[in-house]
């Protein structure tokens, strides 16, 4: 694991990606049905049905897109060796080739073949493919994902891709191996967005409705500084800004302090009417982002969810921008239930968007990229959504209970717990503004890392005593909450040999819970998740599959202790 990024300064940047997502029910049913029914194998048909239910035909901005230049860029990688999780000329994998090639033209795609297949218009059959189309295959290696390989179509039945055995090569789409594994292609159409022009239009058009951040109908969730109500600021992941509105278009304005590269920018998941419509990559400074256009002129709901964590950079929300005659409406009621997740990088969603096998097939030592961090699909938000509860995430990568990833004991999670901005002493968070019914604490991975790496053993007494102190602190703040302490599932008993770190972690956390119970607190519990398994995200962190598994493991237990259905 490599956390040196925590101590680096971030450069500034400039770009945005717009993605309009449609679920299976919104796709061209005839086209998809023909594609599915073209396969005799029931396993393939079921795999496609499951895939399309997860969303497809997301559109991207193609303002700077050129098929010929794209193919030229892809060709420049010929001969590059294969490296699982790689994205450079030193080593690259199939989805990495697709990603970095398109990135040069302003198109940001996930680093996963399975997820890349959700972008662009579906091209169901080989004979309809055109130059520049993406092509997707299944069963090219053992993976939990249905779609396992991607390439770029060159015309004349050829495609360029990163082969596991030969590196970046050109192959025939009809050869013995790939011909029987081909599923479908996708084509990037023409959702062209000129952001600068849009911003100028908003600034100059008197018919555009600008709604300030202090409007009473806007709802906020998470740790937010409202000292200036016209530009509330925040850094923690999971912060959400929501509103109901009537109109056919909407945008929002942010003053952002993130970086200017994929690895350092702030990202937001934007939902309209409960569906993800865009992943917004923020630009430094004050900018307007159009996220809903050509909507039906009726009532809609929008939510803007911060995917990235605090050290990536601060954001200030300055308002919504509505089309002509648009207006905000009185919001509906938030869920009654409230949950707070307290944790480290696992709870932040560090690197969860990647899918990297364990060595020797893959190398999860990637370093951090904010583009691959998705708190919306992290286990805490998954649990909260499935339990119909409000969600607060108080988490920061590299933080521990008594010592951090680097072994230092400064600004551990308990020490920064009272802050709105974890890297600033002030302002302090008002705990009366959000009183959770349930608190889930998932800390300890970083406390153990020095022992994991062979540098110094964990001081078990210090760890347990600090944990007890912190739990009692949480209890003072939330007298009626149920508190669940979760040992680190990033540890295991096999490595390092004969250290049994996972078992130690469970034992220490259970001793904390038993001690607090003996002192009279009957609303504290422990719950052990199973140790994580491959594939991994960045730097050995959980992939989206593991986050989903973590949520599924703990939900029945949470329902049992809360009585929630």
């Amino acid at each position: 694991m490599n956390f040196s990024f925590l101590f680096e300064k971030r450069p500034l940047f400039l770009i945005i990606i717009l993605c309009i997502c449609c679920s299976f029910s919104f796709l061209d049913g005839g086209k998809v049905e023909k594609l599915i029914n073209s396969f005799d194998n029931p396993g393939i048909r079921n795999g496609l049905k499951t895939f399309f239910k997860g969303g497809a035909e997301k559109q991207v901005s193609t303002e700077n897109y050129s098929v010929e230049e794209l193919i030229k860029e892809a060709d420049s990688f010929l001969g590059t060796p294969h490296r699982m999780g790689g994205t450079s000329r030193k080593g690259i994998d199939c989805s990495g080739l697709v990603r970095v090639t398109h990135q040069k033209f302003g198109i940001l795609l996930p680093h996963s073949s399975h997820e890349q297949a959700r972008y662009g218009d579906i091209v169901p059959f080989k004979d309809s493919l055109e130059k520049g189309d993406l092509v997707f295959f299944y069963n090219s290696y053992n993976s939990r994902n249905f779609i396992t390989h991607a390439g770029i179509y060159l015309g004349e039945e050829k495609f360029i891709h990163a082969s596991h055995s030969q590196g970046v090569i050109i192959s025939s789409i009809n050869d013995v191996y790939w011909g029987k594994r081909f599923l479908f292609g996708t084509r990037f159409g023409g959702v062209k967005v000129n952001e600068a022009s849009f911003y100028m239009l908003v600034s100059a058009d008197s018919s555009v409705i600008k709604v300030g951040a202090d409007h009473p109908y806007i709802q906020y969730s998470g740790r937010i500084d409202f000292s200036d109500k016209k530009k509330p600021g925040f850094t923690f992941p999971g912060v959400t800004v929501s509103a109901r509105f009537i109109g056919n278009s909407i945008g929002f304005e942010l003053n952002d302090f993130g970086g200017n590269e994929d690895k350092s920018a702030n990202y937001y998941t934007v939902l309209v009417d409960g569906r993800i419509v865009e992943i917004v990559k923020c630009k430094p400074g004050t900018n307007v982002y159009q996220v809903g256009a050509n909507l039906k002129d009726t009532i809609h709901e929008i939510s803007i969810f911060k995917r990235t964590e605090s050290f990536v950079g601060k954001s200030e929300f300055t308002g919504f921008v509505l089309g002509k005659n648009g207006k905000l409406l009185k919001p509906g009621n938030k869920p009654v239930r409230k949950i707070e997740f307290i944790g480290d990088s696992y709870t932040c969603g560090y690197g969860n968007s990647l899918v990297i096998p364990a060595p020797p097939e893959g190398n999860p030592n990637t370093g951090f990229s904010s583009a691959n961090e998705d708190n919306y699909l992290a286990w805490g938000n998954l649990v909260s959504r499935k339990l119909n509860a409000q969600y607060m995430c108080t988490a920061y990568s590299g933080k521990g209970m008594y010592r951090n990833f680097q072994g230092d004991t400064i600004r551990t999670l308990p020490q920064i717990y009272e802050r709105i901005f974890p890297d600033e002493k002030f302002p302090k968070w008002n705990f009366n503004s959000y009183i959770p019914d349930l608190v889930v604490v998932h800390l300890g991975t970083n406390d153990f890392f020095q022992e994991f790496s062979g540098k110094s053993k964990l001081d078990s007494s210090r760890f347990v005593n600090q944990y007890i102190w912190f739990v009692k602190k949480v209890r003072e703040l939330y007298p009626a909450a149920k508190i669940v302490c979760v040992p680190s599932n990033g540890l295991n008993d096999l490595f390092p040999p004969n250290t049994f770190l996972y078992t130690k972690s469970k034992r220490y956390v259970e001793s904390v819970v038993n001690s607090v119970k003996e002192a009279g607190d009957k609303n504290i519990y422990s719950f052990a998740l199973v140790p994580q398994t491959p594939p991994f995200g960045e730097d050995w962190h959980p992939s989206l599959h593991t986050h989903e598994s973590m949520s599924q493991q703990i939900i029945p237990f949470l329902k049992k202790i809360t009585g929630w259905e």
Side-chain angles (χ1 to χ4, degrees):
M1 287 183 276
N2 178 4
F3 281 78
S4 60
F5 67 87
L6 289 171
F7 307 99
E8 297 174 354
K9 292 184 178 179
R10 302 287 169 200
L12 298 178
F13 98 119
L14 169 54
I15 208 170
I16 183 175
I17 291 296
L18 295 175
C19 310
I20 301 176
C21 166
C22 300
S23 69
F24 179 54
S25 60
F26 289 91
L27 296 174
D28 180 344
K31 177 171 59 179
V32 172
E33 185 176 359
K34 287 179 182 178
L35 169 61
I36 293 172
N37 291 336
S38 68
F39 292 92
D40 295 327
N41 187 321
I44 299 177
R45 291 202 300 269
N46 290 334
L48 286 169
K49 288 177 183 178
T50 301
F51 170 78
F52 285 123
K53 286 178 182 178
E57 295 206 325
K58 301 178 183 180
Q59 297 298 311
V60 299
S61 170
T62 54
E63 187 68 26
N64 301 310
Y65 182 67
S66 164
V67 170
E68 296 302 329
E69 290 298 315
L70 178 94
I71 291 175
K72 183 178 178 181
E73 177 69 13
D75 283 344
S76 72
F77 280 86
L78 283 170
T80 301
H82 181 276
R83 178 188 174 190
M84 188 64 75
T87 57
S88 73
R89 298 182 190 278
K90 293 181 180 180
I92 201 165
D93 62 10
C94 64
S95 59
L97 176 66
V98 172
R99 177 183 169 94
V100 299
T101 301
H102 285 79
Q103 183 178 321
K104 183 173 181 179
F105 302 94
I107 297 173
L108 181 65
L109 298 172
H111 193 164
S112 160
S113 301
H114 189 80
E115 294 305 315
Q116 287 175 351
R118 303 191 188 283
Y119 290 77
D121 297 329
I122 293 169
V123 181
F125 305 115
K126 292 179 186 177
D127 57 7
S128 300
L129 291 169
E130 297 179 0
K131 282 185 178 181
D133 289 349
L134 301 188
V135 286
F136 297 97
F137 306 83
Y138 80 102
N139 197 30
S140 59
Y141 71 92
N142 187 19
S143 170
R144 292 188 177 96
N145 285 333
F146 176 62
I147 297 174
T148 59
H149 196 71
I152 301 171
Y153 190 65
L154 304 178
E156 299 180 349
E157 300 184 353
K158 302 294 184 182
F159 73 105
I160 186 169
H161 62 120
S163 161
H164 187 275
S165 58
Q166 297 176 270
V168 179
I169 58 171
I170 294 174
S171 301
S172 170
I173 202 166
N174 288 319
D175 71 14
V176 174
Y177 185 83
W178 296 112
K180 64 182 179 182
R181 287 172 169 80
F182 175 79
L183 290 171
F184 60 88
T186 62
R187 180 175 304 148
F188 294 146
V191 180
K192 296 193 175 184
V193 181
N194 185 319
E195 298 133 22
S197 297
F198 178 72
Y199 186 78
M200 292 172 62
L201 172 69
V202 168
S203 301
D205 190 349
S206 60
S207 67
V208 169
I209 310 298
K210 302 176 185 178
V211 180
D214 57 347
H215 194 285
Y217 287 169
I218 299 176
Q219 291 182 323
Y220 295 90
S221 299
R223 293 197 177 190
I224 302 173
D225 175 21
F226 288 103
S227 56
D228 186 343
K229 294 182 179 180
K230 293 187 179 297
K231 52 177 182 180
F234 44 87
T235 63
F236 274 114
V239 168
T240 306
V241 184
S242 304
R244 292 177 73 234
F245 68 97
I246 188 167
N248 58 14
S249 67
I250 193 167
F252 66 93
E253 186 178 67
L254 276 180
N255 182 26
D256 195 76
F257 298 83
N260 65 348
E261 299 178 357
D262 289 353
K263 67 179 181 180
S264 61
N266 269 317
Y267 288 81
Y268 285 80
T269 294
V270 181
L271 300 96
V272 173
D273 299 332
R275 294 189 299 113
I276 298 175
V277 297
E278 294 182 18
I279 308 301
V280 170
K281 180 180 180 181
C282 292
K283 298 181 289 188
T286 301
N287 295 281
V288 172
Y289 304 94
Q290 184 181 16
V291 292
N294 302 317
L295 301 171
K296 290 184 178 180
D297 196 0
T298 185
I299 297 174
H300 303 281
E301 296 183 1
I302 183 171
S303 292
I304 305 162
F305 184 102
K306 190 172 187 288
R307 295 159 59 104
T308 41
E309 61 179 293
S310 294
F311 67 78
V312 177
K314 179 182 179 182
S315 294
E316 293 175 341
F317 177 78
T318 50
F320 286 109
V321 179
L322 297 158
K324 186 177 180 180
N325 299 322
K327 65 177 181 179
L328 295 191
L329 304 175
K330 186 176 180 180
N333 295 325
K334 291 183 178 181
V336 175
R337 301 167 181 171
K338 295 180 181 179
I339 305 178
E340 179 178 11
F341 278 79
I342 302 171
D344 50 32
S345 54
Y346 278 53
T347 302
C348 289
Y350 181 121
N352 58 354
S353 294
L354 292 190
V355 179
I356 305 173
E361 289 80 9
N363 183 3
N365 292 313
T366 59
F368 176 82
S369 174
S370 59
N372 297 322
E373 182 172 59
D374 186 357
N375 189 256
Y376 185 77
L377 294 179
W379 74 297
N381 192 46
L382 292 175
V383 168
S384 300
R385 285 160 50 202
K386 291 175 183 179
L387 292 178
N388 190 30
Q390 295 182 49
Y391 169 64
M392 177 176 284
C393 180
T394 311
Y396 197 119
S397 288
K399 300 299 182 184
M401 185 61 73
Y402 90 90
R403 66 178 180 179
N404 299 318
F405 176 79
Q406 297 286 349
D408 62 289
T409 58
I410 301 172
R411 292 193 297 277
T412 61
L413 201 290
Q415 292 172 6
I416 64 174
Y417 184 62
E418 294 184 344
R419 302 177 181 181
I420 293 180
F421 305 115
D423 294 320
E424 302 175 19
K425 291 184 178 180
F426 300 100
K428 299 292 188 183
W429 172 241
N430 178 8
F431 287 95
N432 290 323
S433 61
Y434 185 91
I435 301 177
D437 306 292
L438 179 63
V439 178
V440 180
V441 182
H442 186 257
L443 287 167
T445 304
N446 294 300
D447 297 84
F448 273 93
F449 182 73
Q450 295 297 306
E451 183 167 350
F452 179 87
S453 61
K455 294 179 180 178
S456 64
K457 287 191 174 182
L458 179 114
D459 186 331
S460 59
S461 176
R462 193 170 179 183
F463 177 79
V464 169
N465 288 333
Q466 177 70 0
Y467 209 134
I468 291 172
W469 176 88
F470 182 57
V471 167
K472 289 182 176 179
K473 176 67 175 179
V474 173
R475 172 60 68 217
E476 291 176 5
L477 295 166
Y478 310 130
K482 295 186 182 297
I483 302 173
V484 180
C485 302
V486 181
S488 171
N489 62 315
L491 305 171
N492 63 72
D493 283 342
L494 301 178
F495 188 86
N498 302 316
T499 57
F500 304 101
L501 297 186
Y502 175 70
T503 295
K504 287 181 181 178
S505 174
K506 284 176 57 179
R507 186 168 69 246
Y508 298 159
V509 171
E510 287 169 359
S511 71
V512 169
V513 171
N514 291 334
S515 176
V516 176
K517 277 185 176 179
E518 290 171 2
D521 190 333
K522 304 303 180 184
N523 278 328
I524 185 167
Y525 309 84
S526 64
F527 181 85
L529 298 163
V530 299
Q532 71 174 25
T533 57
F536 299 102
E538 289 180 328
D539 291 337
W540 302 88
H541 285 80
S543 64
L544 292 177
H545 175 87
T546 301
H547 278 272
E548 177 65 31
S549 173
M550 291 165 68
S551 72
Q552 291 177 357
Q553 289 176 57
I554 199 171
I555 281 176
F557 176 78
L558 298 180
K559 285 183 176 180
K560 180 180 178 181
I561 66 173
T562 58
W564 294 347
E565 293 298 332

